[in-house]
Amino acid sequence: FLIAVCASLAWTWLVKWRVGRHRAAIWKSLVLPAGGAALCWLLLMTLWLPLLDFARSYVPLVQQATSLMPKAPGCVATLGVNRSQTAAFAFHGHLALRPLDAKSTCLWLIADKGSIAKHQDLLQNQGWILRRTIGHPAERKESLGLYQRLSPVSTPAAGETQE
């Protein structure tokens, strides 16, 4: 805010200086338009950037999901999550993401609400329970479900076979 106020005062001084000299040719110069454009850009970057960043970022979405998970959740399965969401969860949430399949041993699942209806049988057979529906605060169309497996999947020990 202080940077924006100082820049506005500097532009006000520039206008006063330019108006005081060569009043007849005041708008022929590029000083005022260039100074005004630079001021607008500076104000946008100092005052509005946090709001724009919040509206475009996946950080709030990732924070909603990771707040319900333990500190080190291990692997997290994904179903129908797009590339940008996957990148956000991996980068901001420090999660090890794996695509969901029948052999998945992950205890947590992040699934797109549109993909859940297509894979209901897979979710029910593996014992997933919905913990929370999370959405992007600025984009209402994005809705993800955070699921937790009720019981860990048992994997056969070395040398044993499953029947």
Side-chain angles (χ1 to χ4, degrees), residues 29-156:
S29 169
L30 290 178
V31 174
L32 287 181
L39 174 67
C40 288
W41 182 255
L42 185 80
L43 292 177
L44 179 71
M45 292 295 110
T46 55
L47 299 177
W48 291 98
L49 189 60
L51 182 63
L52 294 172
D53 189 36
F54 178 78
R56 302 287 301 168
S57 176
Y58 279 115
V59 172
L61 184 74
V62 172
Q63 288 174 344
Q64 287 179 45
T66 55
S67 68
L68 295 172
M69 293 181 191
K71 192 79 168 161
C75 74
V76 177
T78 60
L79 178 65
V81 178
N82 65 37
R83 286 183 181 185
S84 57
Q85 292 168 337
T86 302
F89 279 107
F91 181 77
H92 296 295
H94 307 290
L95 300 175
L97 301 174
R98 312 257 189 292
L100 180 67
D101 59 9
K103 299 176 185 176
S104 177
T105 59
C106 298
L107 297 178
W108 292 92
L109 168 68
I110 299 172
D112 179 58
K113 294 300 258 182
S115 300
I116 293 171
K118 299 174 188 174
H119 300 284
Q120 270 301 355
D121 56 333
L122 184 63
L123 294 177
Q124 290 173 351
N125 292 342
Q126 293 187 5
W128 295 104
I129 184 168
L130 179 65
R131 288 293 175 203
R132 186 171 179 185
T133 300
I134 54 178
H136 195 283
E139 184 63 46
R140 300 290 180 214
K141 295 177 186 175
E142 289 189 49
S143 183
L144 302 175
L146 179 65
Y147 291 83
Q148 184 178 13
R149 193 184 302 266
L150 289 177
S151 60
V153 175
S154 60
T155 55

